[in-house]
Amino acid sequence: MHRILVINGPNLNMLGTRQPEIYGADTLADIEAACREKAVGLNAEIEFCQSNYEGEIVTWIQQARGNFDAIVINPAAYSHTSVAIMDALLAVDLPVIEVHLSNIHRRDEFRHLSYVSKAASGVICGFGKQGYLLALEAAASFFR
Ligand code: CA2
């Protein structure tokens, strides 16, 4: 069975508590449940994690080599700042699908640049929770 690591960046543990007009009403636990259901249909296994710490995310990416077949990542605010996460993703040499709940291109100009996109096989943004499910499908398409 193929294994997909789903990484969530800072503040995404707050989903469902504030700013539902931007990020939707689902909590991160709701998104995890939907991802787990989707993974069954894709015959894949997922590990779903969240961190508010850049270094912890870098470590998870490094450890993915040999343990996972693809990475789905919502780097949250680190998308727009983190050369360290970009470098780790470039080094791990796995398919990387970047996902954002909101359409970052319709928002503040500082959100238009994602360093992570430079290491991503593809990017999905603006589809809320559904975007995670599309990202899992995209990841699984690398296995066929
Ligand atoms: O649209 C996305 O998924 C983002 O990655 C979310 C990040 C934002 O910095 C990116 O530009 C786009 C922010 C996640 C914070 O989520 C919260 C949810 C509820 C309450 C507070 C923060």
Side-chain angles (χ1 to χ4, degrees), residues 30-119:
D30 295 332
I31 294 175
E32 176 173 359
C35 285
R36 292 201 176 281
E37 201 180 314
K38 180 74 183 178
V40 172
L42 294 170
N43 200 27
E45 207 173 272
I46 62 166
E47 193 162 312
F48 194 96
C49 53
Q50 187 275 332
S51 179
N52 293 323
Y53 299 94
E54 186 175 19
E56 188 169 33
I57 294 171
V58 168
T59 299
W60 287 339
I61 294 167
Q62 290 177 1
Q63 291 172 348
R65 197 175 194 141
N67 292 315
F68 291 92
D69 302 295
I71 297 175
V72 168
I73 183 166
N74 183 346
Y78 288 145
S79 317
H80 319 301
T81 61
S82 182
V83 174
I85 291 175
M86 177 190 73
D87 283 345
L89 289 169
L90 285 169
V92 79
D93 200 25
L94 288 173
V96 174
I97 319 301
E98 178 182 355
V99 61
H100 297 281
L101 293 157
S102 63
N103 180 352
I104 55 175
H105 301 290
R106 285 185 75 171
R107 300 186 62 198
D108 327 74
E109 204 163 327
F110 66 84
R111 296 183 203 274
H112 296 179
L113 173 77
S114 166
Y115 289 99
V116 170
S117 295
K118 295 182 186 297

